[in-house]
Amino acid sequence: MVPNIIHFLRFKENNLTFVDAVCVLSAFKNHRPDKILFHTDVESFVGPYWEMVKNTPGIVFEFRKVILPDKIFGQNFSKSFHVWHASDVTRIRILMEYGGIFLDNDVYVVQNLNKFRNFEMALGWDDNQCIGTQVVITNKNARFLLLWLESYRQYYPDKWYYNAGCKTTEEVLYKRPELVHRVKLLFGVHMLVSKLYKKLWKEWRQQYTIHLLVRHRPYLDKEHLQHWPIFDEMNIKDYPMTFGEMAREVYGIS
């Protein structure tokens, strides 16, 4: 029911980081999509990590031009959260046009996702939580997509995640949970920061995907920010925590 296409969305960013590259490579190597579509408002990407990605043997990718929207149903996007809220809406519109597998730029694919392509829509929705928008696998005509977009007719500009995740969970999915295939925990959209960056979590391979939450690391220990490295192909070689193991596997570092 779902085409074997992986979508990434990037506004105002043309330089791929090491972590960005790791995530793209994990999607390619561990899932094997027919192609990867990069939806972006820049002409192309730059930097050594993009060179690594685009020269990976067998990878097929295309760029699709998107424009950062300013409004949703006549309402201005938040000034503080503009890029993020506009990205949430653009994600829905991309999936309504193509269908496929949408991944946040910091999502690591652990296992092949084909089993979820048999459903009209599959997403992470843990017990007593709002849906996770970081991993969405859907047919372009999935009933929930239009309802999700329509939920923005009442938009709350000052709420970080409410519009994308919680509002539609409360207003739509609590009443009609059958609209989606609910994946609990295995899409890794819950808070896994401690398991990724403070220990060696042996069970990580049981996940299908993992939201890396790299920018959330300082919240673990604000008094020791210097202990949170900016990852690259050198310092990842002896990084002893879970993410080190994950990155080395797909980046080809022994």
Side-chain angles (χ1 to χ4, degrees):
M1 295 187 71
V2 175
N4 194 20
I5 303 170
I6 285 180
H7 304 277
F8 292 101
L9 173 65
R10 300 177 70 88
F11 283 124
K12 300 180 181 291
E13 293 182 22
N14 66 349
N15 187 55
L16 261 66
T17 67
F18 174 76
V19 174
D20 292 333
V22 164
C23 290
V24 174
L25 291 173
S26 76
F28 169 64
K29 294 183 176 182
N30 294 336
H31 175 70
R32 294 289 172 174
D34 294 337
K35 61 183 173 182
I36 296 174
L37 296 185
F38 294 104
H39 304 267
T40 181
D41 57 353
V42 301
E43 292 301 318
S44 184
F45 301 143
V46 298
Y49 301 119
W50 170 239
E51 293 298 316
M52 172 69 174
V53 167
K54 78 174 187 179
N55 292 316
T56 298
I59 195 168
V60 177
F61 63 87
E62 297 176 15
F63 284 89
R64 296 294 167 92
K65 188 76 172 181
V66 289
I67 297 174
L68 180 69
D70 294 324
K71 299 175 182 289
I72 178 65
F73 295 126
Q75 305 159 99
N76 291 325
F77 281 116
S78 160
K79 290 184 179 180
S80 300
F81 304 137
H82 181 192
V83 171
W84 292 274
H85 285 183
S87 297
D88 291 333
V89 170
T90 304
R91 172 195 331 251
I92 300 170
R93 289 174 170 160
I94 287 170
L95 290 171
M96 291 178 74
E97 180 177 357
Y98 298 95
I101 301 167
F102 191 102
L103 302 174
D104 269 10
N105 294 314
D106 59 345
V107 166
Y108 183 105
V109 177
V110 182
Q111 299 186 57
N112 183 281
L113 300 170
N114 280 339
K115 64 180 288 185
F116 301 104
R117 293 175 53 225
N118 294 313
F119 299 98
E120 180 179 329
M121 175 184 276
L123 45 73
W125 183 13
D126 301 330
D127 286 333
N128 303 312
Q129 297 293 322
C130 305
I131 59 168
T133 64
Q134 300 88 349
V135 180
V136 183
I137 303 173
T138 185
N139 182 283
K140 68 178 183 179
N141 297 313
R143 294 164 291 172
F144 179 64
L145 283 176
L146 180 58
L147 296 171
W148 195 359
L149 184 62
E150 286 289 318
S151 74
Y152 277 86
R153 290 194 179 277
Q154 186 178 18
Y155 166 63
Y156 294 88
D158 298 325
K159 295 187 177 183
W160 164 248
Y161 192 68
Y162 180 72
N163 303 279
C166 295
K167 186 173 186 288
T168 190
T169 304
E170 296 166 359
E171 294 180 358
V172 180
L173 291 181
Y174 281 172
K175 299 172 184 176
R176 301 187 64 191
E178 75 279 0
L179 292 176
V180 301
H181 175 69
R182 184 175 188 171
V183 181
K184 298 181 182 180
L185 300 178
L186 293 178
F187 276 1
V189 297
H190 50 299
M191 184 57 70
L192 291 172
V193 175
S194 181
K195 289 184 177 181
L196 294 173
Y197 307 109
K198 294 198 78 171
K199 61 178 69 173
L200 187 58
W201 177 34
K202 296 181 180 179
E203 293 80 18
W204 69 268
R205 288 186 180 83
Q206 296 175 14
Q207 300 290 123
Y208 280 92
T209 58
I210 296 174
H211 186 207
L212 295 178
L213 290 164
V214 173
R215 295 175 181 174
H216 291 250
R217 290 178 298 158
Y219 294 109
L220 284 173
D221 190 354
K222 293 182 180 180
E223 295 181 1
H224 300 89
L225 296 183
Q226 68 271 23
H227 295 309
W228 303 112
I230 297 174
F231 293 115
D232 58 36
E233 70 276 23
M234 299 305 296
N235 62 22
I236 204 69
K237 290 180 179 180
D238 55 6
Y239 186 67
M241 308 306 176
T242 306
F243 177 67
E245 192 171 76
M246 295 166 66
R248 291 189 290 269
E249 278 199 9
V250 297
Y251 204 80
I253 298 173
S254 61

